[in-house]
Amino acid sequence: TQAAAVALAVTIGVCGWPSARACGYHDPSGYQVGMLNWAYPDALHVRTAVWMAQRDGLLDPAPSLPAVDPMSPQSRLRQMTQLRETQARLDAVHVALDAAAVGRPLPAFAVVLIGPMLWTRFETVDDGVRMASHIQGPAPDDVVLVTDAPVLASLVEGRITLQSARDHGLARLYGSPGAVERVWAMLDHATQK
């Protein structure tokens, strides 16, 4: 199928470049973002939507940080702190999905946080939902959710709903229509407080 061909091209493209082997918390290369937009049309619109939501107060504003060398110890420490916070939020989504998916198989899906280009994959297994973090990209038939870390933070903390994130273009799902709707429904159920 066309979706499988696109996913394969992304996997080859992302895995084939040394700069793409780590997320942006470790390697702030812009190559991965360009590949993402090629594979998932209009995915970069999420970046603009996040900026506008921060400007308009829907999301917390981006912190203003002093310019530092991205390879400096200060920058590395900040990146590792951000990665740890993001991982804790992804873990919270995992726990909520695991509870929501009891008796309701979930299509496998991958989440990419477009700012740091951090990929995480969720799939139903016999004993619940398995999460694999910090992966190189989606599996060929995965539904793909494109969003960003500030959106994830607001969802987990209950400051916005998934429907609001969708309405404002802060989250986009790619895949077959039926699987996309099932993932939206499960995520909506899991992220409601």
Side-chain angles (χ1 to χ4, degrees), residues 64-86:
S64 48
L65 302 169
V68 294
D69 174 7
M71 302 309 284
S72 72
Q74 178 187 5
S75 180
R76 291 296 212 190
L77 180 59
R78 183 172 64 225
Q79 290 166 349
M80 294 313 298
T81 301
Q82 290 170 337
L83 176 60
R84 188 171 42 254
E85 290 169 352
T86 300

Side-chain angles (χ1 to χ4, degrees), residues 38-49:
W38 176 77
Y40 306 104
D42 299 329
L44 287 182
H45 290 210
V46 170
R47 277 186 151 179
T48 303

Side-chain angles (χ1 to χ4, degrees), residues 169-193:
L170 301 170
R172 290 176 176 259
L173 267 178
Y174 297 86
S176 68
V180 162
E181 283 311 310
R182 288 176 57 209
V183 170
W184 273 132
M186 187 67 73
L187 282 169
D188 189 45
H189 180 69
T191 57
Q192 289 179 3
K193 295 277 182 184

Side-chain angles (χ1 to χ4, degrees), residues 65-168:
L65 302 169
V68 294
D69 174 7
M71 302 309 284
S72 72
Q74 178 187 5
S75 180
R76 291 296 212 190
L77 180 59
R78 183 172 64 225
Q79 290 166 349
M80 294 313 298
T81 301
Q82 290 170 337
L83 176 60
R84 188 171 42 254
E85 290 169 352
T86 300
Q87 186 61 53
R89 291 179 181 119
L90 287 165
D91 289 339
V93 170
H94 177 222
V95 168
L97 278 172
D98 201 39
V102 172
R104 297 166 53 183
L106 178 68
F109 72 99
V111 177
V112 61
L113 302 177
I114 199 168
M117 286 302 297
L118 178 66
W119 287 91
T120 302
R121 186 170 189 269
F122 297 89
E123 68 178 324
T124 302
V125 292
D126 292 338
D127 58 347
V129 175
R130 178 174 39 209
M131 180 179 87
S133 289
H134 219 265
I135 60 172
Q136 291 186 359
D141 291 327
D142 284 354
V143 170
V144 172
L145 169 61
V146 180
T147 191
D148 205 352
V151 180
L152 175 67
S154 290
L155 281 169
V156 168
E157 294 162 14
R159 290 181 277 129
I160 64 169
T161 64
L162 185 63
Q163 185 61 51
S164 179
R166 288 178 73 175
D167 293 346
H168 288 88

